[in-house]
């Protein structure tokens, strides 16, 4: 879904375009563009040799992002490149996390989730013992795998938090709080799901728990998505209310003048050739 969301966010940003300008350091940008194209080529060969190597995936995605930003800079100028930076860089959330980072997060969340569920089960009168990532109840053993660690919902909520922060055009501080709220909601709903599944296994047996597994997973994602949307909408309303209270300048105050220069016809022709060259290189 991320590439389509990038296009959608870029279309939203195109409604409020700053004035175009001629790039100031065109030679340096062209050198960086060629370098990014070479990196893209090398990483594509490495990915063909090892498709699951995530460093190659990051190299490909990073080179594509840099080439896109530089193309916008060379065609429209610095202001518009900065204006479209977020929808372009947002593409990186589609790349799987590096294996060492993901492994560390999975193991930490799995141990935390299993230990917390075990403590709460014993507190409410359901006997449970913790054996690493396995919870032992009276009817058998319940394993807490990587899906139950919360890593999937954590990655999804981080993406959704970034999306809603851009959709409601929140300030940087509010976007930061939204990035905190997303993982917190993911971990909370994941704890609730694990607690429900282990409780069902303790009272009705492991076969019954298997029937509850997928429905609780769907409820986890829907509930987490809805709550995060409500939080983002609440922040968006507060932002709109605060901006509406800002006093507008009077008619006597001078209006700022935008210093901009539209790209020349020659620059547009060179840009067209540049776009064709990039397309041929990518193919």
């Amino acid at each position: 879904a991320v590439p389509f969301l990038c296009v959608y966010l870029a279309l939203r940003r195109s409604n409020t375009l700053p004035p175009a300008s001629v790039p100031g350091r065109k030679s340096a940008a062209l050198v960086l563009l060629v370098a990014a194209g070479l990196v893209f080529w090398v990483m594509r060969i490495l990915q063909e040799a090892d498709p699951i190597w995530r460093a190659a995936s990051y190299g490909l995605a990073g080179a594509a992002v840099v080439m896109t930003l530089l193309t916008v800079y060379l065609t429209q100028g610095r202001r518009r490149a900065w204006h479209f930076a977020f929808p372009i860089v947002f593409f990186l959330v589609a790349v799987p996390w590096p294996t060492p980072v993901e492994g560390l997060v999975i193991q930490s969340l799995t141990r935390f989730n299993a230990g917390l569920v075990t403590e709460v089960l014993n507190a409410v009168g359901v006997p449970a013992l913790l054996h690493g990532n396995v919870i032992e109840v009276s009817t058998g053993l319940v394993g807490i795998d990587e899906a139950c660690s919360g890593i999937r919902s954590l990655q999804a909520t981080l993406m959704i938090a970034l999306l809603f922060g851009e959709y409601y055009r929140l300030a940087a501080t509010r976007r930061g709080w939204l990035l905190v709220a997303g993982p917190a909601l993911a971990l909370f709903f994941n704890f609730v799901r694990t607690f429900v599944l282990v409780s069902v296994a303790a009272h009705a047996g492991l076969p019954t728990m298997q029937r509850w597994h997928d429905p609780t997973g769907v409820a986890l994602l829907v509930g987490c998505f809805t709550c995060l949307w409500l939080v983002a909408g609440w922040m968006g309303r507060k932002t709109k209310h605060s901006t509406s209270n800002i006093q507008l300048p009077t008619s006597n105050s001078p209006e700022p003048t935008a210093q901009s220069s539209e790209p020349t016809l020659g620059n547009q022709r060179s840009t067209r050739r540049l776009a064709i060259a990039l397309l041929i290189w990518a193919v």
Side-chain angles (χ1 to χ4, degrees):
V2 171
F4 300 99
L5 293 175
C6 292
V7 175
Y8 171 71
L9 294 178
L11 291 175
R12 280 179 56 88
R13 288 225 165 192
S14 63
N15 296 327
T16 56
L17 282 178
S21 60
V22 178
R25 300 180 179 179
K26 188 174 181 179
S27 299
L30 286 173
V31 171
L32 290 176
L33 184 63
V34 172
L38 293 175
V39 170
F40 187 88
W41 172 58
V42 172
M43 290 300 171
R44 182 66 188 90
I45 295 176
L46 294 177
Q47 190 186 51
E48 186 70 21
D50 190 357
I52 64 174
W53 190 33
R54 296 187 178 181
S57 298
Y58 269 98
L60 274 173
V65 166
V66 171
M67 286 192 294
T68 307
L69 282 173
L70 289 174
T71 303
V72 177
Y73 172 77
L74 289 169
T75 57
Q76 302 296 323
R78 180 179 59 85
R79 292 183 180 179
R80 289 193 177 180
W82 179 256
H83 185 72
F84 286 106
F86 184 89
I88 295 172
V89 178
F90 181 72
F91 178 75
L92 293 177
V93 301
V95 186
W97 291 0
T99 303
V101 175
E102 188 177 66
L104 177 63
V105 173
I106 287 176
Q107 294 300 322
S108 302
L109 292 179
T110 302
R111 288 193 296 267
F112 173 77
N113 192 26
L116 183 60
V117 169
T118 302
E119 293 294 333
V120 175
L121 285 173
N122 286 303
V124 298
V126 179
L129 292 175
L130 181 63
H131 305 284
N133 296 341
V134 177
I135 300 177
E136 181 182 359
V137 292
S138 59
T139 57
L141 301 175
V142 180
I144 308 299
D145 57 9
E146 66 175 41
C148 295
S149 69
I151 184 65
R152 295 177 182 174
S153 54
L154 180 65
Q155 291 173 329
T157 50
L158 285 174
M159 182 271 289
I160 294 171
L162 290 170
L163 172 66
F164 283 151
E166 173 65 14
Y167 179 81
Y168 290 106
R169 303 302 293 268
L170 300 179
T173 304
R174 295 181 186 270
R175 296 192 190 202
W177 282 114
L178 200 60
L179 288 175
V180 173
L185 287 171
L187 295 178
F188 170 75
F189 278 97
N190 193 75
F191 160 76
V192 173
R193 180 197 182 198
T194 307
F195 176 79
V196 170
L197 291 177
V198 178
S199 299
V200 170
H203 291 93
L206 297 179
T208 304
M209 184 201 71
Q210 294 297 330
R211 294 196 296 268
W212 282 65
H213 188 272
D214 291 341
T216 53
V218 174
L220 161 72
L221 289 178
V222 173
C224 186
F225 176 84
T226 303
C227 290
L228 189 58
W229 194 353
L230 292 175
V231 172
W234 173 71
M235 289 184 176
R237 286 192 296 271
K238 289 192 66 176
T239 301
K240 186 180 297 185
H241 178 71
S242 60
T243 54
S244 63
N245 292 332
I246 298 177
Q247 184 178 2
L248 296 177
T250 60
S251 58
N252 295 328
S253 58
E255 295 183 358
T257 58
Q259 301 293 332
S260 63
S261 57
E262 293 295 331
T264 61
L265 183 60
N267 187 40
Q268 293 178 357
R269 290 175 179 174
S270 62
T271 298
R272 191 178 300 111
R273 291 194 294 267
L274 172 64
I276 295 175
L278 282 176
L279 179 61
I280 295 174
W281 177 250
V283 172

